[in-house]
Amino acid sequence: MMTAARSSDSGYAGSGELDRYPYADAPAAAGATIPAAAGGHVAPAAPVWDRPDTDLATRVSRRAATSRGRGLHGQLVQQLGQMIVSGDLGADRPLVPEEIGQRFEVSRTVVRESLRVLEAKGLVSARPNVGTRVRPVSDWNLLDPDIIEWRAFGPQREDQRRELCELRWTIEPLAARLAAGHGREDVQQRLTDMAEIMSHALVQGDSVTFSRADAEFHALILQVAGNRMLEHLSGVVTAALQVSGGPAGGCDRPSENAVAHHVRITDALAAGDGAVAESAMRQLLSVHTETHVPQPRPH
């Protein structure tokens, strides 16, 4: 099974576990080549699947519990996605299904379906006579919640944090203004409930419950703004808040001030006051940020 090929502690291969894989015997540097067995031409180096990387092992371990619930297909998507986003499998790197299947001890079907998922996310491309290769960052679907999460726990964590905060600053105040006076009592009650849950979770020191209620609160506002494109971005905001406890950081943190702003937003929405709702959202997104307003960056 796939889990047999990885260390139980890190979710990644341990020392001495890869001797049976010929392409792991002598890892080559990215972009290097190795002599072909025959034919006189040079073949690209095989992927360095198991570079000693404590940070990568930590990321895999952090997601181990969730991955186990996803089945072999989900686990493989998770592992390959993390390796691509972290740079361990660089752009234009060939991905050979047979090697992947052998490395992770999964069937050809699992490998094929996993690569299709990664292709849909823009991480890889498959072409006849070329095979499957890793695509450059410019081709990735950076709004995909999985990619947001993988970037949040990878080397790009600081860029991901900044980009998420800037995106939220751009779309959420507008969504709050548009959502004012939406007239749906069930949504208004749900927003009130989420604010109360956050307040209770803050008192109890329950950051997990706070984060979940916070994510639903913001997603609801985007969903009732009356703009389908904004609604489509609710998954991005949810992903941003779900990784807020990690190195990527969210734009806000559990605090009495944050809860007060949520309550103010809720009241403004109920009163149909778009200006106040927009202002309160901007103030909320300014809580615990390094700068209150995203500043222009030198290019």
Side-chain angles (χ1 to χ4, degrees), residues 10 12 49 51 53-61 82-83 86 88:
S10 68
Y12 211 60
W49 297 110
R51 177 185 307 162
D53 185 344
T54 303
D55 188 49
L56 176 61
T58 300
R59 294 197 304 276
V60 173
S61 177
Q82 287 177 325
M83 294 176 76
S86 70
D88 291 324

Side-chain angles (χ1 to χ4, degrees), residues 168-169 171-184 187-196 198 210 213-214 216-222 224-225 237 241 252 256-287:
R168 293 187 61 194
W169 184 273
I171 65 174
E172 291 197 69
L174 171 61
R177 177 162 61 85
L178 294 176
H182 52 71
R184 290 184 53 181
V187 173
Q188 188 64 43
Q189 182 58 54
R190 191 64 179 165
L191 289 170
T192 301
D193 292 343
M194 292 304 102
E196 291 180 357
M198 280 185 274
F210 187 101
D214 194 15
E216 181 170 343
F217 183 96
H218 289 270
L220 279 170
I221 291 177
L222 287 166
V224 299
V237 173
L241 290 166
D252 47 348
E256 292 183 3
N257 197 16
V259 172
H261 286 309
H262 282 88
V263 172
R264 187 177 174 215
I265 292 169
T266 302
D267 292 343
L269 293 177
D273 193 332
V276 172
E278 179 178 8
S279 174
M281 182 64 78
R282 289 194 184 279
Q283 292 175 12
L284 171 61
L285 295 178
S286 297
V287 174

Side-chain angles (χ1 to χ4, degrees), residues 164-236:
L164 284 172
C165 286
E166 290 173 350
L167 180 62
R168 293 187 61 194
W169 184 273
T170 301
I171 65 174
E172 291 197 69
L174 171 61
R177 177 162 61 85
L178 294 176
H182 52 71
R184 290 184 53 181
E185 293 184 4
D186 57 333
V187 173
Q188 188 64 43
Q189 182 58 54
R190 191 64 179 165
L191 289 170
T192 301
D193 292 343
M194 292 304 102
E196 291 180 357
I197 289 173
M198 280 185 274
S199 179
H200 294 153
L202 178 65
V203 172
Q204 297 170 1
D206 186 351
S207 60
V208 173
T209 297
F210 187 101
S211 177
R212 290 174 178 171
D214 194 15
E216 181 170 343
F217 183 96
H218 289 270
L220 279 170
I221 291 177
L222 287 166
Q223 289 165 10
V224 299
N227 183 307
R228 291 187 177 180
M229 297 188 74
L230 286 177
E231 181 180 352
H232 184 73
L233 293 174
S234 63
V236 176

Side-chain angles (χ1 to χ4, degrees), residues 2-297:
M2 179 176 171
T3 51
R6 300 192 305 274
S7 165
S8 59
D9 295 330
S10 68
Y12 211 60
S15 60
E17 294 180 356
L18 295 174
D19 294 342
R20 61 186 180 279
Y21 302 123
Y23 50 85
D25 289 342
T33 57
I34 56 176
H41 63 279
V42 200
V48 184
W49 297 110
D50 296 272
R51 177 185 307 162
D53 185 344
T54 303
D55 188 49
L56 176 61
T58 300
R59 294 197 304 276
V60 173
S61 177
R62 186 183 291 111
R63 294 293 299 148
T66 303
S67 294
R68 279 195 294 269
R70 296 182 177 185
L72 294 179
H73 168 265
Q75 291 181 49
L76 186 57
V77 168
Q78 185 79 16
Q79 296 245 5
L80 292 179
Q82 287 177 325
M83 294 176 76
I84 292 171
V85 170
S86 70
D88 291 324
L89 295 176
D92 208 35
R93 171 75 69 177
L95 298 179
V96 182
E98 291 76 12
E99 292 180 351
I100 296 173
Q102 186 181 29
R103 163 64 183 86
F104 293 104
E105 298 187 357
V106 294
S107 69
R108 182 177 302 177
T109 299
V110 170
V111 174
R112 183 172 61 250
E113 293 303 318
S114 298
L115 291 177
R116 284 179 179 173
V117 172
L118 295 175
E119 185 174 16
K121 296 177 184 295
L123 294 179
V124 304
S125 62
R127 288 188 258 173
N129 303 321
V130 175
T132 301
R133 291 181 175 272
V134 176
R135 299 171 69 174
V137 178
S138 58
D139 292 342
W140 298 356
N141 178 8
L142 296 178
L143 298 182
D144 182 283
D146 282 336
I147 294 181
I148 288 174
E149 179 182 311
W150 296 334
R151 291 185 74 207
F153 294 105
Q156 302 172 47
R157 59 176 64 91
E158 292 304 323
D159 285 341
Q160 181 68 99
R161 178 188 186 279
R162 172 182 54 77
E163 290 167 3
L164 284 172
C165 286
E166 290 173 350
L167 180 62
R168 293 187 61 194
W169 184 273
T170 301
I171 65 174
E172 291 197 69
L174 171 61
R177 177 162 61 85
L178 294 176
H182 52 71
R184 290 184 53 181
E185 293 184 4
D186 57 333
V187 173
Q188 188 64 43
Q189 182 58 54
R190 191 64 179 165
L191 289 170
T192 301
D193 292 343
M194 292 304 102
E196 291 180 357
I197 289 173
M198 280 185 274
S199 179
H200 294 153
L202 178 65
V203 172
Q204 297 170 1
D206 186 351
S207 60
V208 173
T209 297
F210 187 101
S211 177
R212 290 174 178 171
D214 194 15
E216 181 170 343
F217 183 96
H218 289 270
L220 279 170
I221 291 177
L222 287 166
Q223 289 165 10
V224 299
N227 183 307
R228 291 187 177 180
M229 297 188 74
L230 286 177
E231 181 180 352
H232 184 73
L233 293 174
S234 63
V236 176
V237 173
T238 298
L241 290 166
Q242 286 175 340
V243 301
S244 63
C251 293
D252 47 348
R253 286 288 189 275
S255 69
E256 292 183 3
N257 197 16
V259 172
H261 286 309
H262 282 88
V263 172
R264 187 177 174 215
I265 292 169
T266 302
D267 292 343
L269 293 177
D273 193 332
V276 172
E278 179 178 8
S279 174
M281 182 64 78
R282 289 194 184 279
Q283 292 175 12
L284 171 61
L285 295 178
S286 297
V287 174
H288 300 291
T289 53
E290 294 179 1
T291 56
H292 283 196
V293 180
Q295 300 295 317
R297 298 184 304 280

